[in-house]
Amino acid sequence: MSTQTLADLSGVTGQVIRPGDADYDKARTVFLGGVDRRPAVIIRVANNKDVSRVIALARDSGMPLAVRSGGHSGAAHGVVDDGIVLDLVDMRALKIDAEQRTASAETGLTAAQFSKAADEHGLAVGFGDTGSVGIGGITLGGGVGYLVRKHGLTIDDLLAADVVTADGQLRHVDAESEPDLFWAIRGGGGNFGVATRFQYRLHPVGAIVGGMMMLPATAEVITSFIEESEAAPEELTTIANVMKAPPMPFIPEEHHGELAIFALMAYAGDTDAGQRAVAPLRALAEPLADLIRPMTYPEIYMPDEEDYHPIAVGKTRFTDKLDAEAIATILDRVESSTAMMAVTQIRALGGAMARVPDDATAFAHRRSRFMVTVANVYERVEDTPTHQAWVDELAGALDLDGRGAYVNFLGEEGEQGIRDAYPDPTWDRLRSVKRRYDPENLFRLNQNVPPA
C-alpha cells in the first residue's frame, strides 16, 4: 500500500491488519476451504465512522472492497486479492428489549451468539442452520432456517437497519425512511452498502423439539419424508440430506457408507406437540440414529469446528417438483459420486414464508414448495472440475437449471446464477435502487446487481 493510503488509515479506531502481521493469515481465512487470497489490508472496524472511512479509502484509491460479516459466502466474497477487507467481526453490540420483543444487533454477531442471548429471554429470530454464520450476510440475502415455516424468513422480522452507503453516509433505513432501500436490502444482498446494525422483531420460542435423525434412504422413505414434512404443522421445519452415512460414533458401524437421510429438524412449540409432530417421521423406518429431543433453540446449532474449512461445490434452486423419477436419480447419483461427501439436500417450505407477497421484499421465491441443494465436498482443489461436473449433471437431471436461486447459497455461478435469484421485475427494481445508492458499483464483490 502507498504511504498516502497508510495515512488514510491513521484515523481508524479498529484493528488494521497487514501482510506480515501475526494475525494476518487467520484474518484472511474464510469458511470455504481452498481459498488463498491475500488482501492488501484487513480492517476490523469498530464503529460506523470506521466503516465510512474504509469506504472512502476504497472509493478514492480504486482498490477492490470486500465486506465480511461471518465469512460464509459460497463464493468467498469476504476476502479479496490486493484489496481491502472491511471486517465487521468486532462490531457485536446487542441490546434486547424483552418487553417489546425487539433486538438491536450489530452485524458482526453470529447467528449462535445472537440466538444464545435472545434465548435467555425465551425469544428468537430465525436465521439459518449454521451457528457461525454472520447475521449480516444471512439477513441481507433472506434467511432460510429452522423457523422458516413458523415465523418466515429472517427478513420478515427485520424492522430497520443502519446502512453506510457508497457516499459514506450513515442511513437509518426502515419502511418509512428510505423505503426503497429497505425493500432492496431484504433479499438483495450486500449490493447497496454496509449494514452495521439491524433491528429485529423477536418471537417467543422456548424449548423446542429438535436435533438429528438418520433414516435409511430408500425411494419410499424419501418420498414419505417429504410428504410428511409438507403435511406437518408449521411449527416443524425439516432439512433432509440424502447422503452416505458418515462414520460418526452414534451411527452403527455396519451402516457406515450406506445411503441415508441425515435429517435435521426443529419444532418450535409445545414439546408434547413436537413429539407428536415428529412421530410420523420416526415411523417411516427404523432410525439408524435418533437424537431428537427437547432442547433450547440455540442448541439446534451444531458445535463450531474452527478449523473446519470444507472444499465444496454446489447448486441450490427452488422447485415445486420432486417426483419418483427425481428421487431415483438422486439415489443413483449420490451413490456413484467419488467425492468425500456427496449430498442432495431437500427443504420443505411453505407456511409463514409463503404468506408474504412476492413483491414485498427483494426475496421473490416465496411460493416454492422446496429448496434443493446438490453438493460435493472433497479434499483437493484440483479435483474441482470433476465434482463440479457431477453437480451440474445432477442439477440438470433434476431440472433445477433456470429455476429460482437463493442468493445466499450461490457460489461462483456468474451472471446467470444471479439472474436466477431475481425475477425480471425484482431485478429491474434492484438495479434502479443500486443506481441511486451505488452508481459506481463500489459494492461489487457480492452476487452483484449492476446499477441501471
Side-chain angles (χ1 to χ4, degrees):
M1 299 179 70
S2 69
T3 303
Q4 180 59 46
T5 302
L6 287 173
D8 290 339
L9 294 173
S10 61
V12 170
T13 304
Q15 184 182 7
V16 177
I17 304 172
R18 302 179 178 87
D21 288 350
D23 295 339
Y24 179 75
D25 282 336
K26 185 176 181 180
R28 70 186 180 92
T29 301
V30 291
F31 178 73
L32 190 66
V35 178
D36 187 26
R37 298 175 188 166
R38 304 186 67 86
V41 64
I42 300 165
I43 306 167
R44 289 180 168 167
V45 292
N47 49 47
N48 288 321
K49 288 184 178 179
D50 277 0
V51 174
S52 294
R53 185 175 290 272
V54 174
I55 288 173
L57 172 61
R59 187 179 63 241
D60 296 343
S61 69
M63 299 174 73
L65 175 65
V67 181
R68 171 175 173 161
S69 174
H72 276 254
S73 163
H77 285 140
V79 66
V80 60
D81 277 325
D82 302 320
I84 302 166
V85 174
L86 190 162
D87 192 340
L88 293 153
V89 68
D90 289 337
M91 292 186 65
R92 290 183 285 187
L94 175 60
K95 182 179 179 180
I96 294 172
D97 186 331
E99 184 176 341
Q100 296 296 319
R101 294 181 182 170
T102 61
S104 173
E106 289 187 330
T107 53
L109 287 160
T110 66
Q113 290 166 345
F114 181 104
S115 298
K116 287 175 183 176
D119 183 65
E120 294 178 5
H121 305 276
L123 301 169
V125 169
F127 292 110
D129 54 42
T130 304
S132 59
V133 167
I135 68 170
I138 194 166
T139 301
L140 294 173
V144 180
Y146 287 114
L147 301 181
V148 68
R149 282 162 50 83
K150 175 63 175 175
H151 295 304
L153 301 165
T154 308
I155 54 173
D156 296 333
D157 289 318
L158 185 64
L159 301 174
D162 288 344
V163 180
V164 183
T165 45
D167 57 5
Q169 182 176 340
L170 174 64
R171 301 172 188 267
H172 181 75
V173 180
D174 60 24
E176 302 299 326
S177 175
E178 317 225 32
D180 285 344
L181 184 55
F182 187 53
W183 173 87
I185 65 171
R186 288 177 292 163
N191 276 283
F192 309 97
V194 179
T196 60
R197 187 189 66 87
F198 293 134
Q199 182 183 13
Y200 296 106
R201 176 191 304 109
L202 299 172
H203 297 280
V205 178
I208 67 169
V209 175
M212 187 280 292
M213 181 191 302
M214 185 166 284
L215 300 168
T218 65
E220 181 181 358
V221 172
I222 295 171
T223 299
S224 297
F225 189 97
I226 294 169
E227 291 174 349
E228 293 290 350
S229 294
E230 284 198 284
E234 291 180 1
E235 286 81 1
L236 182 66
T237 294
T238 68
I239 304 172
N241 296 288
V242 180
M243 56 189 287
K244 295 178 183 177
M248 291 179 166
F250 51 80
I251 301 171
E253 188 173 352
E254 63 267 26
H255 296 300
H256 293 178
E258 292 182 358
L259 288 174
I261 303 173
F262 191 101
L264 300 166
M265 62 190 75
Y267 181 95
D270 176 76
T271 54
D272 289 339
Q275 295 287 13
R276 291 194 296 272
V278 170
L281 299 174
R282 278 198 174 106
L284 295 176
E286 182 67 30
L288 307 180
D290 186 351
L291 303 181
I292 304 296
R293 60 179 176 84
M295 61 175 65
T296 65
Y297 174 67
E299 288 180 272
I300 196 67
Y301 294 125
M302 294 184 177
D304 290 338
E305 298 179 43
E306 188 173 345
D307 295 328
Y308 179 59
H309 298 286
I311 302 172
V313 289
K315 179 174 283 190
T316 299
R317 293 295 186 271
F318 295 99
T319 185
D320 294 326
K321 178 185 174 185
L322 279 174
D323 56 17
E325 182 180 356
I327 301 302
T329 299
I330 290 169
L331 287 169
D332 177 66
R333 302 298 170 83
V334 170
E335 178 69 62
S336 65
S337 172
T338 60
M340 181 172 62
M341 182 176 73
V343 61
T344 298
Q345 181 184 91
I346 302 166
R347 301 182 189 228
L349 302 173
M353 166 184 166
R355 287 194 289 272
V356 176
D358 282 340
D359 61 357
T361 66
F363 184 103
H365 302 290
R366 293 176 175 273
R367 303 297 184 278
S368 301
R369 292 174 62 194
F370 309 108
M371 188 167 80
V372 177
T373 300
V374 295
N376 269 337
V377 180
Y378 48 100
E379 297 179 285
R380 304 189 309 166
V381 173
E382 53 266 35
D383 293 334
T384 296
T386 297
H387 298 302
Q388 184 67 63
W390 181 92
V391 165
D392 292 342
E393 183 180 354
L394 179 50
L398 297 178
D399 193 28
L400 299 182
D401 293 321
R403 304 283 180 172
Y406 176 36
V407 71
N408 276 347
F409 279 10
L410 285 175
E412 291 284 7
E413 298 183 39
E415 183 179 348
Q416 185 56 55
I418 302 168
R419 291 295 288 111
D420 285 349
Y422 303 113
D424 288 345
T426 304
W427 176 253
D428 292 342
R429 186 174 175 186
L430 284 171
R431 292 194 65 194
S432 177
V433 177
K434 178 77 169 182
R435 178 178 60 193
R436 178 177 173 187
Y437 290 98
D438 184 18
E440 302 301 322
N441 206 10
L442 177 71
F443 301 109
R444 59 186 179 274
L445 293 182
N446 45 41
Q447 301 298 348
N448 192 235
V449 176

